[in-house]
Amino acid sequence: MNGPALTPTAALAALANEPKGLPFVTVFSHGSLDIEIYRPVGVDQQTAHARDEIYVVIAGGGEFVCAGQRQTFEAGEVLFAPAGVPHRFENFSDDFCTWVFFYGPDGGEAKRATPDQDDHTP
């Protein structure tokens, strides 16, 4: 991959230079994939998004609320928010930051006919 390294340090530096002071910045795009770093301060103000998204928590912990379900999370955890579904982070630590991977079409990807199947099984 060409361009700046996709490391938390590099992404947080890009976020610190975000001219509008937003809590996120896109650090990589390819096809339908957009990778952001997200670091809300105090309150998570986000609303539902048009595409599916995966969060990979870089640091901190708290609670993730998605479609009315609440779960605790910690650094290293992977979280999923389907397209169009309200979600937010609550009661998160001051050091909380996460990668955000937006992908697929608006409206999200279709569910598999048999969700127990894995693309990696022969």
Side-chain angles (χ1 to χ4, degrees), residues 6-8 11 26 32-34 43-44 47 65 67 72 75 96 112 121:
L6 288 177
T7 64
T26 301
S32 75
L33 174 65
D34 290 309
V43 175
D44 179 3
T47 58
V65 180
T72 59
F96 169 61
R112 292 183 187 162
T121 44

Side-chain angles (χ1 to χ4, degrees), residues 75-122:
E77 195 152 350
V78 176
L79 306 164
F80 174 70
V85 173
H87 60 281
R88 67 191 172 282
F89 294 95
E90 293 184 346
N91 304 313
F92 50 86
S93 58
D94 291 341
D95 63 340
F96 169 61
C97 61
T98 186
W99 293 113
V100 186
F101 298 82
F102 289 100
Y103 66 94
D106 283 356
E109 292 191 344
K111 289 186 178 184
R112 292 183 187 162
T114 54
D116 58 333
Q117 288 183 330
D118 181 323
D119 287 340
H120 302 290
T121 44

Side-chain angles (χ1 to χ4, degrees), residues 15-107:
L15 183 60
N17 291 321
E18 203 290 317
K20 297 178 186 171
L22 296 172
F24 63 90
V25 66
T26 301
V27 295
F28 180 82
S29 292
H30 178 82
S32 75
L33 174 65
D34 290 309
I35 302 174
E36 296 180 352
I37 188 157
Y38 181 54
R39 186 172 191 181
V41 176
V43 175
D44 179 3
Q45 303 273 347
Q46 70 178 318
T47 58
H49 299 100
R51 296 187 295 155
D52 291 330
E53 58 189 300
I54 299 283
Y55 293 97
V56 179
V57 180
I58 297 169
E63 297 174 330
F64 182 61
V65 180
C66 185
Q69 301 282 329
R70 180 178 301 273
Q71 71 179 80
T72 59
F73 69 87
E74 61 185 33
E77 195 152 350
V78 176
L79 306 164
F80 174 70
V85 173
H87 60 281
R88 67 191 172 282
F89 294 95
E90 293 184 346
N91 304 313
F92 50 86
S93 58
D94 291 341
D95 63 340
F96 169 61
C97 61
T98 186
W99 293 113
V100 186
F101 298 82
F102 289 100
Y103 66 94
D106 283 356

